[in-house]
Amino acid sequence: MTDHYIRLDNLAVGYQGKALIHDINIGINKGEIVTLIGPNGSGKSTILKSITRQLKWIAGNVFYDDTSLLQLSYKEMASKMAVVLTERIKTEYMTCHDVVAMGRYPYTGRLGILTAKDEEIVEEAMETVHALELGNCNFNEISDGQRQRILLARAICQEPEVMILDEPTSFLDVKHKLELLSILERMVREKHITVIMSLHEIELAQKVSDKVMCVKGETITHYGQPEDVFTEPIIRELYEIENGYFDPLFGSMELPKIEGNPKILVISSGGNGIPIYRKLRKEQIPFIAGILYQNDVDYQVAKVLATQVIEETPFEEISERAYEEAIKAVQMCDTVIDAGVQIGSANRKLLDIIEEAKRLGKI
């Protein structure tokens, strides 16, 4: 028996016999959320379509619970694996209820007649995605976001062991992105379903995933836990970021800092400075931040957006070096902003720096 529930073994995927991505060796445990991230066109959808056998593999194999997927019939796969891809499905005049009910077809007879139990499962799936009110609506006449929720309900209806989703949060507003991912997370934890999906929103992928797969070029560049993958160098290289910065602590992207002679000194702590830093950057004003302890949340953003950061070792009293550097900054800048710094025994010298700024009429 394999140690993994799903295993991609030397898999090569592509089109017309030509491998676009090769040597994919990935193990996925039961009840995990595995997310594929990477630039547009990197091959995330190609991998997902290959896992679901919608594309013929170029080489290698995919094992499901130690059995090659090639040994499973499509009906067997449909009872174990639900798929939500980005392609439009042909629904003609089907209602949303009809589309969701398609998820029960692997369990019905040749005539596709739903039992009372099937209908109950359809209703429960639609209620899970908060789409009961859409039941009688024409599927082609609802919004893209509503369609995405209906397709998720169809997948839930299959009562699968594995769900494959290609960009499931596309077309959804923030509320429904969070709602959809919460539904998937709950299904994983409560029903031990395995989820494999692609996401563009890396900040959400960082928070919801158990494992992350980075897709770029001809290979999988990284595969592992979010804390190992979501580092600034890996994300910068993966997306070839040259005009910004990924902050792994906050899981957010920051625009590049404004270079030039700093006009403003921002004195802050405990997150008070972050909105000011971002506003100054937006207004194209170079600034200095300090004195900041290296474990302060302000420090994490300041080191990205500030022209200069005056820093200090955590839990230490402000040194003469940092104090003199801050006094020079007060004298050099046109304005000093006190963002509401919290004063304690270790950073009491900040009071002297603020007093100096007041004396010079710069606060």
Side-chain angles (χ1 to χ4, degrees):
M1 289 291 289
T2 179
D3 292 333
H4 293 104
Y5 182 58
I6 296 174
R7 180 162 52 93
L8 281 57
D9 186 14
N10 292 316
L11 187 66
V13 302
Y15 298 88
Q16 298 177 341
K18 180 180 179 182
L20 299 180
I21 306 171
H22 55 79
D23 296 323
I24 306 174
N25 291 285
I26 298 297
I28 300 171
N29 296 323
K30 187 175 179 63
E32 281 190 328
I33 297 177
V34 175
T35 305
L36 284 64
I37 64 172
N40 287 337
S42 60
K44 301 185 294 297
S45 297
T46 303
I47 293 173
L48 295 179
K49 289 177 182 177
S50 299
I51 293 174
T52 59
R53 285 175 59 188
Q54 296 189 36
L55 286 177
K56 186 177 180 181
W57 311 328
I58 307 301
N61 211 331
V62 177
F63 293 93
Y64 171 85
D65 204 13
D66 215 32
T67 300
S68 170
L69 285 187
L70 295 176
Q71 295 177 260
L72 299 177
S73 68
Y74 283 105
K75 184 171 183 179
E76 287 175 315
M77 283 188 60
S79 65
K80 297 176 181 296
M81 184 180 293
V83 182
V84 180
L85 299 179
T86 52
E87 283 89 351
R88 301 275 184 177
I89 64 172
K90 297 180 180 179
T91 59
E92 298 180 355
Y93 298 105
M94 295 176 68
T95 67
C96 291
H97 178 278
D98 295 335
V99 172
V100 175
M102 290 168 64
R104 297 305 301 163
Y105 288 173
Y107 305 97
T108 62
R110 292 184 178 180
L111 298 179
I113 298 173
L114 272 62
T115 65
K117 180 62 177 177
D118 289 324
E119 288 289 358
E120 183 181 328
I121 293 171
V122 170
E123 292 295 309
E124 288 176 356
M126 295 189 72
E127 185 176 9
T128 298
V129 301
H130 306 292
L132 274 175
E133 74 282 358
L134 298 175
N136 292 323
C137 296
N138 186 319
F139 181 78
N140 291 322
E141 294 177 356
I142 60 177
S143 70
D144 287 333
Q146 289 171 326
R147 286 195 190 101
Q148 202 77 330
R149 288 156 60 195
I150 292 298
L151 293 177
L152 178 60
R154 184 187 65 171
I156 293 172
C157 250
Q158 287 180 235
E159 297 183 311
E161 297 175 14
V162 180
M163 292 185 70
I164 310 290
L165 306 102
D166 192 9
E167 300 176 19
T169 53
S170 296
F171 311 116
L172 298 181
D173 58 30
V174 172
K175 173 186 174 182
H176 290 107
K177 285 180 194 289
L178 297 175
E179 189 175 81
L180 182 145
L181 293 177
S182 296
I183 291 168
L184 292 176
E185 197 173 43
R186 188 168 66 248
M187 293 177 66
V188 167
R189 307 312 172 209
E190 293 178 358
K191 299 184 179 181
H192 223 45
I193 290 172
T194 302
V195 171
I196 307 172
M197 63 180 172
S198 62
L199 284 181
H200 277 305
E201 302 89 344
I202 60 174
E203 73 282 4
L204 294 178
Q206 182 182 14
K207 295 171 177 64
V208 76
S209 307
D210 295 301
K211 298 283 179 56
V212 179
M213 185 191 307
C214 299
V215 185
K216 183 184 180 185
E218 297 180 354
T219 60
I220 304 302
T221 61
H222 296 86
Y223 178 69
Q225 297 178 341
E227 55 267 31
D228 297 323
V229 171
F230 284 96
T231 65
E232 202 279 332
I234 288 177
I235 298 301
R236 177 180 292 276
E237 190 277 334
L238 178 64
Y239 290 97
E240 299 181 0
I241 298 172
E242 297 179 354
N243 58 346
Y245 177 91
F246 173 74
D247 188 330
L249 179 65
F250 294 101
S252 62
M253 299 297 298
E254 298 289 351
L255 293 166
K257 70 177 67 176
I258 306 303
E259 302 291 353
N261 295 324
K263 307 292 185 182
I264 293 175
L265 168 65
V266 181
I267 302 174
S268 68
S269 66
N272 292 334
I274 293 175
I276 296 173
Y277 302 160
R278 289 174 175 159
K279 183 176 182 180
L280 291 174
R281 199 224 66 84
K282 185 167 61 175
E283 295 178 359
Q284 304 286 290
I285 300 173
F287 65 94
I288 299 173
I291 301 170
L292 289 170
Y293 287 100
Q294 294 162 344
N295 61 348
D296 194 311
V297 292
D298 278 351
Y299 175 79
Q300 305 301 321
V301 178
K303 68 180 182 179
V304 178
L305 297 183
T307 305
Q308 176 187 348
V309 179
I310 306 169
E311 59 188 75
E312 189 54 88
T313 304
F315 311 114
E316 297 289 338
E317 290 188 10
I318 290 176
S319 63
E320 280 301 314
R321 184 266 318 156
Y323 174 78
E324 291 174 4
E325 197 174 342
I327 290 295
K328 287 180 182 177
V330 170
Q331 295 168 348
M332 179 178 63
C333 291
D334 299 331
T335 304
V336 175
I337 297 175
D338 177 3
V341 64
Q342 301 175 25
I343 303 295
S345 58
N347 67 346
R348 291 193 63 82
K349 285 185 179 179
L350 286 177
L351 293 175
D352 295 336
I353 295 168
I354 292 171
E355 284 301 315
E356 176 65 9
K358 288 179 179 178
R359 187 184 71 80
L360 295 174
K362 296 184 177 184
I363 196 75

